[in-house]
């Protein structure tokens, strides 16, 4: 589904407290998990060793790094919403709270929901806080819940 396009600051401000976007499903493959492990040097067996994870892991399979799931927020956000008509760029400003309530098994599909918590005008742009929930298809609990801070500049 195409991203929700927000075309005015007034429209954005009127969305505070509402779910603004929902990304498409995205498969977290073992290959992507392996690449993330190499990039971050986080090579724990629970992420990489399929046979050992099958035998010893409480999940029965390898799982994605929590930080891999977190790093996908920007991509999932681009699938869910667009402020491009208003702003030329968005900058990750940080996170207030991050929790990983459930694992993302290798091969699972995830998607993200974006609820607009606040919009604050700053010089040259706006400071936005998004409440992000990343779901695992068929999962009981979210894989990630976070307050994501983004600054959008004109």
């Amino acid at each position: 589904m195409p991203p929700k396009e927000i075309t005015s600051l007034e429209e954005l401000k009127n969305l505070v407290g509402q779910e603004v976007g929902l990304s498409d499903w995205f498969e977290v493959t073992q290959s992507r998990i392996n690449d993330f492990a190499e990039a971050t040097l986080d090579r724990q067996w629970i992420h990489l060793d399929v046979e050992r994870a099958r035998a010893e892991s409480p999940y029965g399979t390898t799982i994605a790094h929590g930080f891999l799931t977190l790093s996908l927020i920007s991509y999932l956000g681009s699938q869910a919403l667009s402020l491009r008509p208003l702003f030329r760029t968005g900058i990750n400003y940080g996170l207030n709270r991050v929790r990983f309530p459930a694992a993302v098994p290798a091969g699972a599909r995830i998607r993200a929901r974006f609820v607009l918590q606040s919009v604050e005008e700053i010089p040259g742009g706006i400071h936005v806080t998004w409440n992000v929930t990343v779901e695992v298809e068929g999962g009981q609990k979210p894989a990630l819940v976070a307050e994501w801070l983004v600054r959008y500049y004109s």
Side-chain angles (χ1 to χ4, degrees), residues 4 9 22 43 53 66 83 127 131 133:
K4 174 167 178 58
L9 184 54
L22 175 65
R43 299 182 184 110
L83 279 70
H127 177 91
N131 289 329
T133 302

Side-chain angles (χ1 to χ4, degrees), residues 2-154:
K4 174 167 178 58
E5 191 169 297
I6 299 165
T7 58
S8 74
L9 184 54
E10 195 62 35
E11 177 187 5
L12 182 65
K13 287 180 176 181
N14 287 332
L15 293 170
V16 169
Q18 298 177 46
E19 182 175 298
V20 177
L22 175 65
S23 74
D24 292 330
W25 288 106
F26 177 84
E27 184 179 359
V28 181
T29 63
Q30 184 63 53
S31 176
R32 185 169 305 280
I33 294 168
N34 295 348
D35 291 346
F36 188 84
E38 285 306 306
T40 61
L41 305 177
D42 182 351
R43 299 182 184 110
Q44 292 186 52
W45 66 267
I46 201 162
H47 305 301
L48 302 176
D49 190 332
V50 174
E51 293 307 315
R52 184 173 178 189
R54 187 174 295 127
E56 298 179 34
S57 165
Y59 308 104
T61 187
T62 53
I63 61 170
H65 305 72
F67 286 136
L68 169 55
T69 306
L70 180 64
S71 72
L72 289 169
I73 288 176
S74 291
Y75 171 74
L76 296 170
S78 73
Q79 301 300 298
L81 43 99
S82 173
L83 279 70
R84 291 234 181 263
L86 291 174
F87 302 99
R88 63 179 158 76
T89 191
I91 305 294
N92 287 321
Y93 190 73
L95 299 146
N96 283 336
R97 294 179 45 114
V98 178
R99 300 290 182 270
F100 303 105
V104 177
R109 295 190 332 154
I110 62 172
R111 69 178 176 188
R113 295 181 179 278
F114 296 85
V115 174
L116 183 57
Q117 181 177 318
S118 66
V119 177
E120 175 187 341
E121 293 187 50
I122 59 171
I126 58 172
H127 177 91
V128 174
T129 302
W130 296 102
N131 289 329
V132 181
T133 302
V134 176
E135 306 169 337
V136 178
E137 187 174 37
Q140 299 289 326
K141 294 191 281 185
L144 179 141
V145 178
E147 285 182 5
W148 180 35
L149 311 176
V150 181
R151 290 203 164 174
Y152 298 95
Y153 293 99
S154 306

